[in-house]
Amino acid sequence: MTETPAPETPLLDRIAGPADLRNLSDRDLRQVADELRSETIHAVSRTGGHLGAGLGVVELTVALHAVFDTPRDKLIWDVSHQCYPHKILTGRRSQMNTLRQKDGLSGFTKRTESPYDPFGAAHASTSISAALGFAVGRDLGAPGNGDAIAVIGDGALTGGMAFEALNHAGHLKKRLIVILNDNEMSIAPPVGALSSYLSRLYAGNPFQDLKAAAKGAVGFLPGPFQEGARRAKEMLKGMTVGGTLFEELGFSYVGPIDGHDMETLLGVLRAVKTRATGPILIHAITKKGKGFRPAEHASDGGHATARFNVTTGAQSKAPSNAPSYTKVFAESLMQEAADDDRIVAVTAAMPDGTGLNLFAERFSTRCFDVGIAEQHGVTFCAGLAASGMKPFCTIYSTFLQRGYDQIVHDVALQRLPVRFAIDRAGLVGADGATHAGSFDIAYLSNLPGMVVMAAADEAELRHMVATAAAHDDGPIAFRFPRGEGVGCDLPERGAPLEIGKGRMIHEGSRVAILSFGARLAEVEAAREKLMARGITPTVADARFAKPLDRDLILQLAQDHEALITIEEGAVGGFGSHVAQLLAENAVFDTGLRFRSMVLPDVFIDQAGPHQMYADAGLNSDDIERRVLSVLGVDVLERRA
């Protein structure tokens, strides 16, 4: 793909940091915003990443940094996939070509990256809680803290944590600024009554009238004009919904305002900075993907993109050699649902990412997007299961963490047959540590009655979907990675597996490698390398971390000098359970050499998936080295 020349940005070129914005006229700030939008498009076209959200807040980003004294004033972006313009303005413009790459800029805000990132984020609905913490810290004398400003989208506002924070902030009455960035579009169209409420706030009135009312916000005008402004504001509120939820929660409400109108933004933000005393919410209406036609017309507003042509928007993607695990899951679930009308699917604001958009097209009444509300989603599934339905709770591993108490209390404790389909298991590449599925094996396998499976390839995933559909005796989970499968032959239909039974892949001698999940392909590659050295490992696929295949594991231990487990998860998971089993059966007393290969006890920063697994020590070369080490093959023999 031919790289488009960098845009002309004469004013932006003069901006080394936010302080430089504060010396510009309002007219110049509008030009900076235009140049910043072009620069953001150009930067993401070279690296890929989250585009639409950032384009929607370009004017807001410029205005916030121009009005407030960042980094003393704490600017906190919820989720923070909209933070690329913020990064460009805060001294990181020259590094944007490293975005989401190894040793480069994170795709999200990150405290260790810049003082302008006071709080790290990548999961939704956290910003108001964090900002309130900064505000209380400021008032208790914590040094170096000014205003606290949270920018949260309408999608993230569907998360219950955001309302917990609003309620607490309204109670404390601390000076706190919350900006609702309302683009009527999260990653998926925001769902539920709250979204309808926000839409009604401005749906029935001429937008210019609402904007004018916002410019004359009550309390920010000279005394003689305040009464008229107050009457106009109350009249407009009465014409829409007869009051505002935010004011009931203790916030002063300003808006809706045009989030792309620099004059409006600067006027409102300056007034708020000068006059606000307690918590205030500014409701700004924006357009996701603003200023880049392909993003504006995309169904997701250009949320995430590979490298692309700036002129056409065409993305540069390598051709796929195998179906993605996500697609295999979705197709397999649809096969099961076609034969069982009790099967329902639930996701938390990620229908496209989990493949449930395909399920919804065919089974619209049996597919539910609960919004960014994983806790509710899990307990909703528990209720569905208790009612006699067969719910598939389809959530990324990293997001399922948010519903852990519900998994324990509402599902496992009651032995309800909720099926957890865990996408993005293991390391995920450019999104880095915040989205890695590192902990689900451990946090699920220690729950009584929970069945935990991991697919070694796409054919195994199809069988595991069928297994989950057929399993009614308590909760069951299966995990699968991001990206393409290994290209194996797919069965036409999945067949239920025997619970707690693994499979032998290759018979060998001396050392056995017991794989759990999608590292099996790397294990097989390591075996080929070892066979060239005259070492022929036994390879088995555990399939289940809970319950373990006791007979298989104990037989491997009995027949081999050494046993190595491998998994795409943190310590405390599959390998730890195998070690416990071996210890309880006194296997170590007879001299078995045991090693467990897991993700290291660090958060691994973004890189390509292969590089991340190399950093984790879980690629075929690492497996080969571990086998040689456990067998006592010295360095000279390894090099021979």
Side-chain angles (χ1 to χ4, degrees), residues 117-450:
D117 293 357
F119 200 79
H123 289 189
S125 313
T126 65
S127 61
I128 305 174
S129 298
L132 182 59
F134 277 107
V136 170
R138 172 200 64 210
D139 292 351
L140 291 176
N145 289 279
D147 273 317
I149 307 110
V151 183
I152 184 168
D154 54 302
L157 200 64
T158 64
M161 182 177 174
F163 283 93
E164 294 172 14
L166 286 169
N167 183 60
H168 190 205
H171 170 72
L172 292 179
K173 296 181 173 57
K174 300 289 185 183
R175 175 178 163 111
L176 173 71
I177 299 161
V178 175
I179 298 174
L180 172 56
N181 172 37
D182 184 359
N183 54 40
E184 291 192 283
M185 184 190 299
S186 51
I187 298 172
V191 297
L194 175 67
S195 177
S196 299
Y197 171 82
L198 294 177
S199 296
R200 289 198 306 272
L201 278 175
Y202 54 83
N205 299 279
F207 186 79
Q208 293 301 318
D209 290 349
L210 293 170
K211 188 176 78 171
K215 285 183 177 179
V218 180
F220 304 138
L221 295 176
F225 297 97
Q226 287 189 18
E227 185 58 30
R230 181 178 293 107
R231 290 176 181 172
K233 178 168 177 267
E234 291 299 321
M235 179 185 70
L236 283 171
K237 285 166 52 183
M239 291 171 62
T240 52
V241 292
T244 151
L245 168 67
F246 306 109
E247 291 186 336
E248 292 298 321
L249 288 170
F251 276 71
S252 298
Y253 172 84
V254 177
I257 65 173
D258 183 348
H260 299 298
D261 183 327
M262 187 64 78
E263 179 187 359
T264 299
L265 285 170
L266 291 170
V268 169
L269 291 176
R270 286 166 178 157
V272 166
K273 180 177 174 64
T274 303
R275 305 293 295 276
T277 55
I280 188 164
L281 185 138
I282 302 169
H283 185 176
I285 300 169
T286 62
K287 184 176 181 63
K288 199 169 187 179
K290 173 74 172 178
F292 186 53
R293 184 174 296 274
E296 289 185 5
H297 291 279
S299 60
D300 64 352
H303 172 69
T305 177
R307 295 173 64 245
F308 61 87
N309 183 291
V310 172
T311 304
T312 66
Q315 297 186 38
S316 174
K317 291 185 177 180
S320 175
N321 296 315
S324 71
Y325 281 98
T326 299
K327 186 175 182 181
V328 171
F329 160 70
E331 292 175 344
S332 302
L333 184 60
M334 287 190 289
Q335 286 181 329
E336 300 299 328
D339 292 341
D340 189 341
D341 60 10
R342 291 193 299 149
I343 289 177
V344 295
V346 176
T347 186
M350 297 298 291
D352 291 1
T354 59
L356 290 193
N357 57 324
L358 304 176
F359 187 94
E361 290 174 4
R362 186 170 174 187
F363 305 104
S364 59
T365 62
R366 288 194 273 156
C367 190
F368 303 91
D369 181 353
V370 300
I372 302 175
E374 291 84 3
Q375 292 173 297
H376 161 63
V378 171
T379 303
F380 175 51
C381 285
L384 284 166
S387 80
M389 300 301 287
K390 293 185 173 183
F392 278 74
C393 186
T394 308
I395 298 176
Y396 292 1
S397 172
T398 183
F399 297 144
L400 189 59
Q401 295 163 184
R402 297 161 68 94
Y404 187 60
D405 179 63
Q406 288 67 33
I407 297 171
V408 176
H409 180 269
D410 299 335
V411 177
L413 186 63
Q414 303 186 86
R415 293 192 63 83
L416 288 170
V418 174
R419 289 88 175 158
F420 292 96
I422 304 173
D423 202 337
R424 272 45 170 198
L427 304 178
V428 296
D431 282 335
T434 58
H435 283 59
S438 304
F439 309 112
D440 58 273
I441 304 172
Y443 71 62
L444 293 177
S445 294
N446 61 15
L447 298 180
M450 177 72 75

Side-chain angles (χ1 to χ4, degrees), residues 572-590:
F574 172 67
S576 296
H577 284 260
V578 172
Q580 179 77 10
L581 172 66
L582 295 172
E584 288 180 349
N585 285 272
V587 174
F588 295 129
D589 299 359
T590 60

Side-chain angles (χ1 to χ4, degrees), residues 566-628:
I566 182 167
E567 63 194 288
E568 299 172 307
V571 65
F574 172 67
S576 296
H577 284 260
V578 172
Q580 179 77 10
L581 172 66
L582 295 172
E584 288 180 349
N585 285 272
V587 174
F588 295 129
D589 299 359
T590 60
L592 176 75
R593 282 171 275 173
F594 175 77
R595 303 290 186 271
S596 183
M597 298 183 71
V598 298
L599 294 176
D601 192 28
V602 296
F603 290 106
I604 300 176
D605 285 332
Q606 74 275 358
H610 184 82
Q611 180 62 56
M612 291 184 80
Y613 279 112
D615 293 344
L618 292 178
N619 283 335
S620 61
D621 289 344
D622 307 297
I623 300 167
E624 179 191 16
R625 282 191 291 270
R626 183 60 63 92
V627 170
L628 295 173

